[in-house]
Amino acid sequence: MSQGSIRKFFPGANTSRGFYSLYKYIIPQDTTRIFIVKGGPGVGKSTFMKKICQSFTEQGYDAEWHCCSSDNGSIDGLVLAQIGVALIDGTAPHIVDPKNPGAVDEIIHLGDYWDESVLRLHKEEILNVNARVGRLFGLAYFALAEAQAAMNEWKSYATEAQNWGRVNQRFVSMWQEVVSTGGFTGQWDVPPVDRHLFAWAVSPQGKCNYIDTLLPGIGRLYLLNGAPGSGKSDFLNNFGQRAMELGFDVEFYHNSLNPEELDGVIVRTLGTAMFSGSDPFAYVPQGFNGEIIQVDLAASLDKHVLNLYANEVAAAAQRFAGSMERAIAFIAKAKAEHDTMETYYVKAMDFAAIEQRRQAIEQRIRGYAAELTRAATANADKRI
């Protein structure tokens, strides 16, 4: 049996608006089971989910890692879509509670396995570190808001200089390329599904993405090039909306600085993906085997207008870069403080008991998988 694949993205992001959650798009609410994992830092939530992931990918199931934007090594969610199961970290800042308790959702509280007396010994330290982490994230969000203000000015110059008629012509040409070469006519039996996530994160280690993991099965990749404000987000949104109008499911990948904008779109039925190929969130494909098409939105910019504001553009870009650097530094400091707080919890945990709980949950998921297999077999027999 071949190894299952793992797709990686972010369900939440550190943005100019603070922490921004798209957790409701992790998995539909009418799925088989959603386990909401609760507990403090260092109790083993991410490890709990990763071990379950490893077990099922070794059996050939595909998985999704919903990565943590504030900790490059952790995940905030695991989805086994073929079984209809998700495990989601339900602690702050992305608090998740059951919407359909018992019927779909249930809580796994890893706090049941800590020694309260050990934590009480470090109560003052935990409170102080927790306050420090909150303060550092607050400073990071101030810096990201400053970065967004600089970005707004930076974008304004290209927006003024852009020939929007030519951009629209390029979009129409691109869309005709997509639908004519594939022979696609749309799908009308069920309403299209739009899913919203982040492909990038402003993390302790800087700007990071796992877009390469999203592209298996994609045959054509469009990379949009051009300065901020040249129309990349609008181009992406138009592509996604046009696809949905024809009945195709669409994955929208939002900008991790300004969630109202987009960095990418994937329409899997069309075998097509489209991402920004320019700074400040420039995707550079690594090992993509399909066709790559460069879309140069800078070609239709009025160079005379841009030259009038060359100094202002450079200054805005410099302010943006400085603010982003400050934000990343604050997030990294918050991560270091958070790691200190985890040490207090690690000392208090009964990890052997947690492992037993993990094995029990894994066995239940195997049961759900077996039920789906039996149902599929029964349906196949009826058709015969």
Side-chain angles (χ1 to χ4, degrees), residues 379-384:
N379 289 333
D381 291 343
K382 289 179 181 178
R383 288 195 294 269
I384 294 174

Side-chain angles (χ1 to χ4, degrees), residues 99-158:
K99 293 183 174 62
N100 300 287
V104 175
D105 316 76
E106 67 179 87
I107 292 175
I108 301 172
H109 188 31
L110 298 188
D112 292 339
Y113 305 101
W114 63 38
D115 185 337
E116 178 185 338
S117 65
V118 174
L119 294 176
R120 288 181 64 82
L121 288 174
H122 300 285
K123 176 180 177 180
E124 184 175 351
E125 294 97 321
I126 291 172
L127 292 174
N128 289 337
V129 173
N130 209 13
R132 176 66 173 159
V133 169
R135 176 59 170 157
L136 287 167
F137 271 113
L139 293 172
Y141 297 143
F142 283 137
L144 289 172
E146 291 170 356
Q148 183 62 58
M151 173 60 70
N152 290 341
E153 181 187 343
W154 188 2
K155 289 172 56 180
S156 70
Y157 302 112

Side-chain angles (χ1 to χ4, degrees), residues 56 61 83 363-377:
F56 281 91
Y61 288 98
I83 309 175
Q363 191 60 36
R364 287 177 58 190
I365 297 173
R366 292 183 196 280
Y368 298 138
E371 288 176 10
L372 291 173
T373 300
R374 287 194 294 270
T377 301

Side-chain angles (χ1 to χ4, degrees), residues 231-249:
K232 297 189 293 294
S233 181
D234 290 339
F235 207 94
L236 290 161
N237 187 60
N238 289 341
F239 177 58
Q241 295 300 330
R242 180 71 64 89
M244 289 196 67
E245 289 171 2
L246 292 180
F248 296 111
D249 295 344

Side-chain angles (χ1 to χ4, degrees), residues 217-257:
I218 298 299
R220 176 179 289 172
L221 170 64
Y222 289 88
L223 290 178
L224 306 185
N225 302 304
S230 59
K232 297 189 293 294
S233 181
D234 290 339
F235 207 94
L236 290 161
N237 187 60
N238 289 341
F239 177 58
Q241 295 300 330
R242 180 71 64 89
M244 289 196 67
E245 289 171 2
L246 292 180
F248 296 111
D249 295 344
V250 179
E251 298 169 16
F252 293 90
Y253 291 94
H254 291 252
N255 181 272
S256 56
L257 180 64

Side-chain angles (χ1 to χ4, degrees), residues 1-203:
M1 181 178 294
S2 61
Q3 181 90 5
S5 65
I6 299 177
R7 301 171 65 210
K8 300 180 182 180
F9 26 51
F10 302 90
N14 298 307
T15 77
S16 59
R17 300 182 177 187
F19 182 80
Y20 195 94
S21 173
L22 293 172
Y23 272 61
K24 67 180 181 179
Y25 294 101
I26 289 179
I27 197 168
Q29 277 294 309
D30 60 351
T31 195
T32 303
R33 204 68 179 168
I34 299 175
F35 297 98
I36 300 172
V37 188
K38 301 275 191 177
V43 301
K45 300 186 296 294
S46 181
T47 300
F48 192 98
M49 292 185 278
K50 285 182 178 180
K51 284 186 175 181
I52 290 176
C53 176
Q54 180 180 358
S55 178
F56 281 91
T57 53
E58 287 176 351
Q59 298 175 60
Y61 288 98
D62 296 332
E64 294 179 354
W65 277 19
H66 291 258
C67 301
C68 177
S69 59
S70 300
D71 184 345
N72 298 78
S74 294
I75 62 173
D76 285 337
L78 167 67
V79 172
L80 300 168
Q82 292 152 300
I83 309 175
V85 168
L87 292 95
I88 301 174
D89 183 341
T91 55
H94 35 74
I95 296 174
V96 179
D97 288 311
K99 293 183 174 62
N100 300 287
V104 175
D105 316 76
E106 67 179 87
I107 292 175
I108 301 172
H109 188 31
L110 298 188
D112 292 339
Y113 305 101
W114 63 38
D115 185 337
E116 178 185 338
S117 65
V118 174
L119 294 176
R120 288 181 64 82
L121 288 174
H122 300 285
K123 176 180 177 180
E124 184 175 351
E125 294 97 321
I126 291 172
L127 292 174
N128 289 337
V129 173
N130 209 13
R132 176 66 173 159
V133 169
R135 176 59 170 157
L136 287 167
F137 271 113
L139 293 172
Y141 297 143
F142 283 137
L144 289 172
E146 291 170 356
Q148 183 62 58
M151 173 60 70
N152 290 341
E153 181 187 343
W154 188 2
K155 289 172 56 180
S156 70
Y157 302 112
T159 299
E160 179 182 345
Q162 185 60 279
N163 183 328
W164 294 104
R166 290 183 62 186
V167 171
N168 292 335
Q169 289 173 354
R170 182 65 186 93
F171 175 80
V172 172
S173 174
M174 178 277 305
W175 180 255
Q176 290 174 343
E177 289 172 4
V178 171
V179 296
S180 64
T181 58
F184 300 105
T185 58
Q187 51 189 30
W188 313 105
D189 50 339
V190 294
V193 175
D194 56 321
R195 197 180 189 200
H196 299 261
L197 296 159
F198 294 98
W200 286 85
V202 182
S203 77

Side-chain angles (χ1 to χ4, degrees), residues 349-360:
M349 302 307 299
D350 183 348
F351 288 110
I354 291 176
E355 175 59 15
Q356 290 179 354
R357 182 70 181 277
R358 184 198 66 79
Q359 292 176 6

